[in-house]
Amino acid sequence: MSTVFSQIVAGEIPARVVYEDETTFAFLDANPLAPGHTLVIPKVEYERLNDVPESEAADLYATIHRLIPAVEDAVGADATTVAFNNGEEAGQEVPHVHCHIVPRFAGDGGGPIHAIAGETPTLDDADLDEIAEEIGSRA
Ligand code: AMP
């Protein structure tokens, strides 16, 4: 069973397509948070960013990089929030990697990425040192 986004890529369900190349695809979000809210996806159905092979990850970023100014210019946005919900617990509903490009306007009432946090942790220097070490040893 393919995702709704794979069905869009295959032309099986309609979408307002704004860009396509060999490995990536972009279209307007059906429930826009702002005019011009665009989704950028790899054509292949990877569930998480972690699953995207390096060369396709580079292609995906190249398309995001290309579309950010296109989206901003098209709707006269002052800025954009660019984000992935990477995994169900992070709010990902469609299990096919997608980057949200959400145009932002001065005084639009929206928040920063920091607004996603629930309860924020209390971490001392030792905790931070240990976490940095754990991440660094895996990077
Ligand atoms: P997420 O919560 O990060 O998985 O976001 C999924 C996004 O896909 C939501 O913003 C939806 O509005 C959008 N969406 C779902 N179905 C469609 C569709 N058929 N065409 C365009 N956007 C869609």
Side-chain angles (χ1 to χ4, degrees), residues 75-118:
V75 299
D78 299 306
T80 37
T81 294
V82 181
F84 293 83
N85 291 321
N86 192 38
E88 200 177 340
E89 297 78 2
Q92 184 178 357
E93 290 178 355
V94 178
H96 185 153
V97 166
H98 50 284
C99 174
H100 291 265
I101 301 176
V102 183
R104 300 297 304 271
F105 301 87
D108 65 13
I113 289 282
H114 292 71
I116 63 166

Side-chain angles (χ1 to χ4, degrees), residues 4-5 8 13-15 27-32 37 39 85 91-94 98 100:
V4 64
F5 294 166
I8 288 174
I13 58 175
F27 52 98
L28 294 188
D29 194 295
N31 304 289
H37 181 173
L39 300 176
N85 291 321
Q92 184 178 357
E93 290 178 355
V94 178
H98 50 284
H100 291 265

Side-chain angles (χ1 to χ4, degrees), residues 24-83:
T24 68
F25 198 86
F27 52 98
L28 294 188
D29 194 295
N31 304 289
L33 298 177
H37 181 173
T38 296
L39 300 176
V40 183
I41 65 171
K43 284 184 170 174
V44 174
E45 194 177 299
Y46 302 108
E47 183 167 344
R48 288 192 184 204
L49 280 170
N50 321 32
D51 307 322
V52 181
E54 203 168 317
S55 74
E56 281 167 76
D59 292 349
L60 185 63
Y61 185 74
T63 298
I64 293 166
H65 184 254
R66 176 185 192 119
L67 281 177
I68 289 169
V71 169
E72 289 184 357
D73 290 353
V75 299
D78 299 306
T80 37
T81 294
V82 181

